[in-house]
Amino acid sequence: FLLLFFRFGRRFESPLLWQSIIMIITMLLMLKLCTEVRVSNELNIKRRSFAAADSKDEEIKAPPKRSYLDFDLNYFWHWSKFTDYVQCVLTFTGVTGYITYLWLDSSLFVETLGFLAVFTEAMLGVPQLYRNYQNRSTEGMSVKMVLMWTSGDTFKTVYFILNQAPFQFSICGLLQVFVDIAILLQVYLYSSYPQKPASHPAHPASTKAL
């Protein structure tokens, strides 16, 4: 969403805009699927929500009402309904859109906004990279899948450079390729030289960052 606001301050090619829109829709659909699967397999009847729970909801039997929002950081982005994620995204979009409107004439703000937008996208693979390191395993991941990630991000970065997209795109595109290569190396190393998984305290199941 940040990239969409960035375009108001600095124009870039339409294909990059459509790529962002398609990615947003895809991520929301994946988030919906992950939420449904996680909740269906969750034994704990306690439900978490972005907005305060409705006391009339007999099916969920939510805990007593709190204030308006549930700001328990341990359960942030770990809610039980897809609608809670939509509410959070819409709130973020509204606040960011208002701030962008106020600071649209500031070139420093616009350039920073653009960097944050593409940097966030570039960091999407980091949680997977860290999880692989923690588990000392890449079970469930295939070399072909990671090669497809790397090829796609490499092609995208070359496109940024050749078409002289704003410098934020090229820098963060290269960063994303490096993350992909690091994951690819993990897949090779952990597959060729299996290691004993690192022991760490048990924690509530969480949805992988999208």
Side-chain angles (χ1 to χ4, degrees), residues 27-198:
M27 290 297 182
L28 289 175
L29 291 175
M30 292 177 62
L31 181 59
K32 183 177 187 298
L33 176 61
C34 290
T35 304
E36 291 175 351
V37 171
R38 176 173 54 80
V39 172
S40 65
N41 295 327
E42 199 173 48
L43 298 178
N44 185 4
I45 62 173
K46 190 174 184 179
R47 295 292 185 254
R48 298 284 176 171
S49 60
F50 174 71
D54 187 350
S55 58
K56 296 180 180 180
D57 192 343
E58 298 295 337
E59 181 181 354
I60 292 182
K61 296 181 180 179
K65 267 190 177 181
R66 303 186 179 185
S67 54
Y68 178 65
L69 300 178
D70 181 357
F71 285 113
D72 189 344
L73 293 179
N74 294 325
Y75 291 92
F76 181 80
W77 208 253
H78 188 68
W79 302 308
S80 304
K81 288 184 177 181
F82 175 67
T83 52
D84 292 305
Y85 294 95
V86 174
Q87 290 176 33
C88 182
V89 170
L90 291 178
T91 300
F92 173 81
T93 302
V95 173
T96 306
Y98 179 68
I99 294 175
T100 302
Y101 174 76
L102 295 178
W103 291 87
L104 196 59
D105 294 332
S106 171
S107 59
L108 177 61
F109 172 82
V110 171
E111 297 298 336
T112 302
L113 181 66
F115 176 78
L116 290 176
V118 290
F119 181 75
T120 302
E121 180 181 346
M123 291 291 100
L124 290 178
V126 172
Q128 183 66 60
L129 180 69
Y130 180 66
R131 177 170 293 184
N132 293 343
Y133 173 76
Q134 277 190 315
N135 297 333
R136 301 292 193 275
S137 170
T138 55
E139 184 179 357
M141 300 186 69
S142 68
V143 176
K144 291 182 180 180
M145 179 183 67
V146 183
L147 281 174
M148 289 179 61
W149 290 355
T150 309
S151 300
D153 291 333
T154 301
F155 175 81
K156 181 174 63 175
T157 302
V158 171
Y159 177 87
F160 293 158
I161 296 174
L162 294 181
N163 287 273
Q164 298 181 338
F167 73 94
Q168 294 96 333
F169 286 86
S170 300
I171 293 175
C172 292
L174 290 172
L175 179 59
Q176 193 166 10
V177 172
F178 290 147
V179 172
D180 292 339
I181 293 175
I183 295 177
L184 185 61
L185 289 175
Q186 284 183 326
V187 173
Y188 171 75
L189 291 174
Y190 294 148
S191 299
S192 303
Y193 308 98
Q195 302 182 37
K196 184 178 180 180

